[in-house]
Structures are given as structure tokens and as C-alpha cells.
């Protein structure tokens, strides 16, 4: 839900670095590589080289993250699971849902 309120440049940079690391990790082994090729073929209709993939990640802006968060998260039903001793500080599902509601004109 926090993404719908904005994302900082620092958070975006951290997310980009983590995504790049995960992509590079996936290149280790034939099964993960085949899965990645399949995802790219289904999504883009072609196989992208690593340089293009990393360039696309570098071109993501905070506005892009905000746009996608608004479309996917904002004003949608929510589901969550939690464990631990501080559950009393988590609102009930209705309060979480109210937190995503926005009157659209």
C-alpha cells in the first residue's frame, strides 16, 4: 500500500539493484535460463539480450512505479497474512481496504 503514496529515489535505486541481481542469479543454470527465455518470448515475442534488459530496468522512473501501483494496488481488494507478537497494531481487513479506497471522478 505504501507504493501508492509514492516511492523515493533511494527505494527505486535499491529495487533496481535487487532486480538486476536476481536476473543475474537466474542465469546460473539451464532451467532458470529456459524459464527466463520463455517469459521473454511470451511477453515480448522475442529474446532480449542482457544489455537491453538492464537498460530497460535503468529506465524505470518513480513515475512508472507510481502509475503501476495506482493501477494494480489502489482501490483493489487486499489480502494479507501476518504472524508475530505485534498483531494488535495491524488493522482489520476493512481498515486496510479503506486505506486503498479512492473516490474516482
Amino acid at each position: 500500500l505504501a507504493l501508492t503514496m509514492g516511492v523515493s529515489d533511494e527505494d527505486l535505486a535499491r529495487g533496481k539493484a535487487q532486480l538486476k541481481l536476481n536476473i543475474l542469479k537466474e542465469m546460473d543454470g539451464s532451467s532458470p535460463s529456459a524459464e527466463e527465455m520463455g517469459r521473454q518470448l511470451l511477453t515480448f515475442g522475442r529474446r532480449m539480450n542482457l544489455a537491453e534488459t538492464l537498460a530497460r530496468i535503468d529506465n524505470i522512473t518513480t513515475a512508472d512505479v507510481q502509475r503501476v501501483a495506482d493501477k494494480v494496488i489502489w482501490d483493489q481488494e487486499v489480502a494479507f497474512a501476518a504472524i508475530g507478537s505485534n498483531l494488535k497494531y495491524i488493522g482489520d481487513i476493512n481498515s486496510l481496504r479503506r486505506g486503498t479506497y479512492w473516490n474516482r471522478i
Side-chain angles (χ1 to χ4, degrees):
L1 296 176
L3 287 176
T4 61
M5 300 299 174
V7 62
S8 69
D9 291 332
E10 180 181 305
D11 289 338
L12 180 62
R14 189 178 319 118
K16 287 180 182 182
Q18 184 66 47
L19 180 57
K20 289 177 187 179
L21 176 66
N22 288 342
I23 288 172
L24 293 173
K25 282 182 177 179
E26 286 180 357
M27 296 178 76
D28 187 27
S30 58
S31 292
S33 294
E35 289 176 20
E36 181 61 23
M37 282 184 224
R39 266 193 298 274
Q40 288 181 4
L41 287 172
L42 289 172
T43 305
F44 303 108
R46 65 185 178 84
R47 173 84 164 109
M48 291 191 308
N49 63 37
L50 183 60
E52 182 181 357
T53 301
L54 297 179
R56 283 179 176 239
I57 293 169
D58 286 335
N59 289 332
I60 295 172
T61 65
T62 55
D64 295 329
V65 174
Q66 182 72 47
R67 177 181 46 80
V68 172
D70 284 346
K71 183 177 179 181
V72 175
I73 299 172
W74 196 253
D75 202 15
Q76 301 293 323
E77 294 299 326
V78 297
F80 77 97
I83 59 171
S85 60
N86 292 326
L87 295 180
K88 62 184 176 186
Y89 300 113
I90 297 176
D92 66 316
I93 193 73
N94 292 323
S95 66
L96 290 172
R97 176 63 178 106
R98 280 191 301 274
T100 69
Y101 183 75
W102 183 41
N103 289 321
R104 297 175 192 257
I105 297 176

